[in-house]
Amino acid sequence: MYSSQRNYSQFQNEDDDDEHGEDYASDATEGHDDEDEIYEGEYQGVPAHSDGKSRDGQVSMGQPVSDSLRERKELEQERLAEEEELAQQYELIMQECGHGRFQWQLFFVLGMALMSDGVEVFVVGFVLPSAETDMCVPNSGAGWLGSIVYLGMMVGAFFWGGLSDKVGRKQCLLISMSVNGFFSFLSSFVQGYSMFLFCRMLSGFGIGAAVPIVFPYFAEFLSREKRGEHLSWLCMFWMIGGIYASAMAWLIIPHYGWSFSMGSAYQFHSWRVFVVVCALPCMCAVVALTFMTESPRFFLEMGKHDEAWMVLKQVHDTNMRARGEPEKVFTVSTILSLPQYDFSLGIYCFLYIIFSLQIWLTFMKCFQYPVKDNTIKLAIVWFTLSFGYYGLSVWFPDVIHHLQSDEYASRVKIHNDERLEDFTFNFTLENQIHTNGVFINDRFISMKMKSVTFIDSTFQNCYFDDVSTVGSLFKNCTFIEAFFYNTDIDDSKLVGSRVINSSFHHNKTGCQMTFDDDYSAYWVYFVNFLGTLAVLPGNIVSALLMDKIGRLSMLGGSMVLSGISCFFLWFGTSESMMIFMLCLYNGLSISAWNSLDVVTAELYSTDRRCTGFGFCNALCKLAAVLGNLIFGSLVGITKAIPILLASAVLVGGGLVGLRLPDTRGNVLM
């Protein structure tokens, strides 16, 4: 039993009356009676057993246990019993360590890493239009950026999740976040689209580790009664990342004057500044992680009992000093430990784990008894929730943009059979169509054309100087003795047109960014900002009720309500109504995400926790890619299919989630 003095006597060797070295003695025990044979709080190492033999199923140095001595089933049962015993002991230790300053420090550090994941997801959508325009990406290559980043995140989630179960949570998270920060920063400077895709893919590969490692890492420092609530609070940092990315995009990207160039070969526009700013949370997380400790639960799983004891003592002493009780003694003297191979993060061991299929073997454990059924159910819930969420997330903005485009097109000005001679255009032309016009000796100087189309028009002896065009075309037009200087008018904009005795000088190279103070850009970022901010009430409610109503009730209820709310999209005939529905959907679905993160971290044992989480998160990213492709292709075609599809997968996934085991009262295995 766990004695009132918080001493784990049942794990101590009854014959262990020898003197103990001072190397592992707690500093808090100084001044105790020197006649005591064992100081309270002095670390006694790995517990031995009363029969003087090592436990069956464990391997002592020079004494391997042969399978012939016991049946395999008995060995597995004893191993499971030891894991349960260790889980119960670890829970009692975490209760003694308390919840205080140490956990809050780790909370904010891991929060920065999770915030980086949220930023990465939003950066893709915000940068995509500007990057593809700036780099002259043809329509055939458009859209690859979003898919390639999610592909990198999918592979990264599986790889880093499996690796962290072998070499440690902190080390893998630190390396992966460094990869993300480096390639995010580098991507803001590369000029070619292929190289930009490569950098963003590796950036996604690095940030793929955030979700599969952050939640298990933090969960292993929490006691049972604190775990659900504080893991839910941690989820808020993903929302903060989305708000940060939306706000920075709103403030930076439309300001195209925030740029510089080195000739025509190197252009650094405002969207690149935005990419640099979005890499800052990741860099801060990397710096802060260097001061954190490895998970003591992972140390125990790897058989590193000494390291685990030192970390637990640090947690205890940090929290006690913050409470004003520095004299309180950490009374744990012995900790049960499961013998494992020592996978310290040396370069040879690192490569051995990767190339010896250790990650794959750990992954296969997720499909063995007793977690096989739970893994399948979790995979279904992760896939359906992600498919519906990311699918509608891309569908909502596209529908709003489609409504805006229809309204914009309805306000077009049409000019027929106009004739202008000796006129100077030195102002912006926007949203106009000129048909059968005749322009003679006219001057187009220092002007901009946005969404302007000239059809069957004639330009004779006209002078074009410093002209920029966006979304503008000259269809079946005729240019006679025209002079073009420092313009971006080229063959791609002269559709079916004839050019007679005309000359082009110093044409603008590269693709031209859109104009300053672009209202549509501001509007897109503002809509995403509102949609992200709308999850705040859901985050607060889920954190406060996670341990009261249970993870499964919140998971299933949130997904079913989100599916039902999709039917209200039938009434979304205006921008304001669609924005309201976006906020409502995000607010309802966030509770499902939070509870799913908690359940996934609690269902798996320590030796496969990050691997299982990584597998589920990889499916999440795969579903995001499929959702973007399927829902994006239906914009402007029909509302029925997206609504019915989203409702079906969300309700179905919610019903499957209700079949998962309730982990609210379980200790962390």
Side-chain angles (χ1 to χ4, degrees):
M1 295 294 293
Y2 184 61
S3 65
S4 59
Q5 290 83 15
R6 302 248 180 194
N7 192 12
Y8 299 89
S9 57
Q10 74 272 29
F11 301 115
Q12 296 183 24
N13 184 2
E14 296 176 358
D15 300 326
D16 188 9
D17 294 326
D18 297 332
E19 294 183 3
H20 301 277
E22 298 177 358
D23 292 341
Y24 301 111
S26 170
D27 295 337
T29 62
E30 293 183 5
H32 283 234
D33 190 355
D34 292 338
E35 295 179 0
D36 292 342
E37 291 184 65
I38 299 178
Y39 291 111
E40 182 184 23
E42 184 179 11
Y43 181 56
Q44 303 300 314
V46 184
H49 306 283
S50 57
D51 57 1
K53 300 179 181 179
S54 62
R55 291 195 172 201
D56 294 325
Q58 295 186 6
V59 180
S60 301
M61 186 175 297
Q63 296 179 351
V65 176
S66 174
D67 288 343
S68 61
L69 299 179
R70 289 189 180 275
E71 295 293 338
R72 181 178 180 84
K73 185 176 180 180
E74 294 179 358
L75 294 175
E76 291 177 352
Q77 290 177 345
E78 291 194 11
R79 171 74 179 190
L80 180 61
E82 290 175 350
E83 290 178 351
E84 292 176 350
E85 189 176 14
L86 174 58
Q88 294 291 342
Q89 184 190 10
Y90 189 79
E91 174 64 27
L92 296 175
I93 295 174
M94 292 311 304
Q95 291 178 8
E96 178 175 346
C97 291
H99 189 91
R101 175 180 293 175
F102 185 93
Q103 281 86 355
W104 285 113
Q105 290 173 346
L106 185 63
F107 173 81
F108 286 106
V109 172
L110 297 181
M112 292 297 293
L114 194 60
M115 177 181 172
S116 302
D117 183 84
V119 169
E120 187 77 16
V121 170
F122 282 88
V123 164
V124 174
F126 294 155
V127 165
L128 191 59
S130 299
E132 291 177 343
T133 301
D134 189 21
M135 297 179 179
C136 306
V137 179
N139 291 334
S140 59
W144 268 104
L145 178 59
S147 300
I148 205 73
V149 170
Y150 280 118
L151 177 63
M153 296 174 75
M154 180 178 69
V155 176
F158 182 81
F159 174 80
W160 295 110
L163 192 62
S164 66
D165 278 332
K166 293 300 181 183
V167 302
R169 284 75 164 109
K170 175 191 171 181
Q171 298 289 1
C172 282
L173 188 59
L174 187 59
I175 296 173
S176 63
M177 296 300 292
S178 300
V179 171
N180 171 249
F182 175 77
F183 284 101
S184 293
F185 187 78
L186 182 63
S187 68
S188 66
F189 294 95
V190 298
Q191 293 295 300
Y193 190 61
S194 298
M195 191 63 185
F196 182 75
L197 285 177
F198 178 73
C199 289
R200 295 313 303 185
M201 181 184 69
L202 292 181
S203 172
F205 174 75
I207 200 61
V211 173
I213 296 180
V214 162
F215 287 101
Y217 190 7
F218 192 49
E220 290 167 358
F221 282 92
L222 299 172
S223 59
R224 177 170 44 196
E225 64 270 12
K226 298 288 185 181
R227 200 162 54 235
E229 177 184 353
H230 288 271
L231 286 177
S232 299
W233 288 123
L234 184 64
C235 295
M236 291 187 66
F237 280 94
W238 199 93
M239 174 202 71
I240 295 173
I243 293 176
Y244 175 82
S246 302
M248 292 300 102
W250 191 9
L251 293 173
I252 296 174
I253 294 181
H255 294 280
Y256 306 107
W258 294 13
S259 62
F260 66 88
S261 61
M262 298 174 63
S264 61
Y266 189 86
Q267 304 287 331
F268 196 90
H269 292 293
S270 58
W271 68 267
R272 297 180 182 273
V273 178
F274 168 70
V275 172
V276 172
V277 171
C278 286
L280 295 179
C282 177
M283 297 177 182
C284 294
V286 170
V287 174
L289 270 171
T290 59
F291 299 97
M292 293 293 103
T293 63
E294 181 56 83
S295 164
R297 188 66 179 85
F298 170 78
F299 276 148
L300 292 175
E301 192 68 26
M302 292 294 104
K304 298 182 179 181
H305 42 80
D306 296 347
E307 292 88 341
W309 185 87
M310 295 299 293
V311 173
L312 289 169
K313 182 181 182 301
Q314 179 183 347
V315 175
H316 175 274
D317 293 347
T318 301
N319 290 339
M320 294 305 109
R321 284 195 299 268
R323 293 180 183 178
E325 303 175 357
E327 72 285 350
K328 195 166 184 179
V329 178
F330 183 51
T331 60
V332 177
S333 58
T334 56
I335 308 176
L336 178 66
S337 179
L338 304 176
Q340 295 282 348
Y341 293 108
D342 182 4
F343 287 114
S344 57
L345 194 61
I347 183 62
Y348 297 109
C349 187
F350 188 86
L351 295 176
Y352 168 77
I353 294 170
I354 296 175
F355 293 108
S356 65
L357 301 180
Q358 291 292 319
I359 296 176
W360 178 257
L361 294 176
T362 305
F363 168 66
M364 294 307 298
K365 288 184 179 179
C366 297
F367 290 90
Q368 296 175 357
Y369 179 84
V371 297
K372 177 182 178 180
D373 292 342
N374 294 336
T375 298
I376 296 174
K377 293 174 185 176
L378 278 176
I380 294 173
V381 177
W382 273 93
F383 187 90
T384 54
L385 179 58
S386 179
F387 183 82
Y389 177 82
Y390 285 101
L392 288 179
S393 293
V394 72
W395 189 72
F396 273 117
D398 285 350
V399 169
I400 294 173
H401 181 70
H402 184 72
L403 293 173
Q404 288 179 332
S405 298
D406 289 344
E407 182 185 359
Y408 187 77
S410 67
R411 293 186 282 109
V412 65
K413 296 180 181 179
I414 300 177
H415 302 270
N416 294 317
D417 301 319
E418 60 182 334
R419 181 184 179 89
L420 292 174
E421 296 185 29
D422 298 315
F423 186 81
T424 300
F425 292 87
N426 55 4
F427 48 86
T428 298
L429 298 179
E430 181 177 358
N431 198 19
Q432 299 179 9
I433 297 177
H434 299 260
T435 305
N436 296 322
V438 177
F439 303 87
I440 302 175
N441 295 325
D442 293 331
R443 292 167 298 280
F444 299 80
I445 300 175
S446 300
M447 66 166 300
K448 299 173 181 178
M449 298 182 187
K450 181 179 181 182
S451 300
V452 177
T453 302
F454 292 91
I455 303 175
D456 297 324
S457 298
T458 301
F459 298 84
Q460 184 174 351
N461 293 322
C462 291
Y463 180 79
F464 296 82
D465 182 9
D466 191 19
V467 178
S468 298
T469 63
V470 172
S472 300
L473 296 173
F474 297 86
K475 295 183 177 180
N476 301 322
C477 294
T478 301
F479 295 85
I480 303 173
E481 296 182 354
F483 184 85
F484 297 85
Y485 182 84
N486 192 30
T487 71
D488 62 357
I489 300 174
D490 54 20
D491 292 340
S492 65
K493 298 177 181 179
L494 301 175
V495 181
S497 298
R498 294 186 304 160
V499 180
I500 303 172
N501 295 331
S502 301
S503 59
F504 294 81
H505 301 274
H506 299 286
N507 272 20
K508 296 180 178 180
T509 58
C511 298
Q512 302 301 310
M513 301 295 289
T514 188
F515 303 130
D516 295 342
D517 300 324
D518 189 348
Y519 171 75
S520 62
Y522 280 109
W523 186 246
V524 169
Y525 307 140
F526 181 66
V527 168
N528 280 276
F529 178 83
L530 290 180
T532 309
L533 191 62
V535 308
L536 179 61
N539 261 315
I540 296 175
V541 170
S542 63
L544 296 178
L545 299 181
M546 185 67 70
D547 289 318
K548 293 182 173 60
I549 68 175
R551 290 90 159 107
L552 302 186
S553 299
M554 185 167 294
L555 172 61
S558 177
M559 291 186 68
V560 170
L561 288 176
S562 298
I564 294 175
S565 70
C566 293
F567 285 101
F568 291 98
L569 295 174
W570 287 109
F571 307 102
T573 56
S574 64
E575 292 180 37
S576 57
M577 180 60 72
M578 291 303 298
I579 293 173
F580 171 76
M581 294 306 304
L582 171 65
C583 295
L584 176 63
Y585 174 75
N586 286 351
L588 290 174
S589 62
I590 191 61
S591 296
W593 284 110
N594 293 358
S595 53
L596 187 57
D597 290 331
V598 175
V599 170
T600 307
E602 293 177 334
L603 269 180
Y604 290 106
S605 57
T606 304
D607 63 331
R608 69 195 81 174
R609 181 169 296 121
C610 291
T611 302
F613 215 127
F615 166 68
C616 292
N617 198 248
L619 282 180
C620 169
K621 298 303 184 286
L622 175 62
V625 174
L626 296 177
N628 289 341
L629 294 175
I630 294 174
F631 283 80
S633 64
L634 298 174
V635 174
I637 299 177
T638 177
K639 281 186 177 181
I641 296 178
I643 291 173
L644 294 176
L645 186 59
S647 299
V649 297
L650 289 172
V651 173
L655 296 177
V656 173
L658 292 173
R659 304 288 295 175
L660 288 166
D662 189 3
T663 59
R664 179 170 35 167
N666 295 353
V667 295
L668 208 62
M669 292 295 293

